[in-house]
Amino acid sequence: MIIYAITAIAILVSIAFALSRAILGPTSYDRILSVNAIGTKTVLLIGVGGFLTGRPDFLDLALVYSLVNFIGTLAVLKYFKFGTLRGRLSKSEDS
């Protein structure tokens, strides 16, 4: 049980490092990737927390959160690239 507590503390420390990169990142893409890393580490923290509390059903929540994190990151990156979420699908739309 103590190994899960140590793991949770290590994940929290790595989230703190990623948060500092999100605040100090030189470009917006660095900030987006560090927020994505925070989301991924949060999924790990939910899983470890589920084992610490003896509730493995937290893994379902972690899976849902990971899907939301992935889709959200793609949406933000697409918005920064195209300026809208619709975006261009091909070059033939320009004419």
Side-chain angles (χ1 to χ4, degrees):
M1 206 54 143
I2 190 76
I3 193 75
Y4 292 121
I6 293 170
T7 304
I9 291 170
I11 292 171
L12 287 173
V13 168
S14 66
I15 287 175
F17 286 143
L19 184 63
S20 69
R21 177 49 56 194
I23 293 170
L24 301 173
T27 66
S28 61
Y29 290 109
D30 289 333
R31 291 184 175 106
I32 292 168
L33 290 176
S34 64
V35 169
N36 185 26
I38 290 171
T40 302
K41 291 170 195 220
T42 303
V43 169
L44 290 172
L45 193 61
I46 291 171
V48 170
F51 283 110
L52 274 173
T53 59
R55 297 189 59 190
D57 53 337
F58 279 9
L59 292 178
D60 295 335
L61 296 171
L63 284 173
V64 170
Y65 187 78
S66 67
L67 290 173
V68 169
N69 182 36
F70 177 70
I71 298 298
T73 301
L74 288 180
V76 169
L77 286 172
K78 186 175 182 180
Y79 181 77
F80 276 122
K81 183 173 183 179
F82 294 114
T84 182
L85 289 179
R86 288 187 57 186
R88 290 186 299 208
L89 297 176
S90 65
K91 299 229 181 221
S92 64
E93 290 180 6
D94 290 338
S95 53

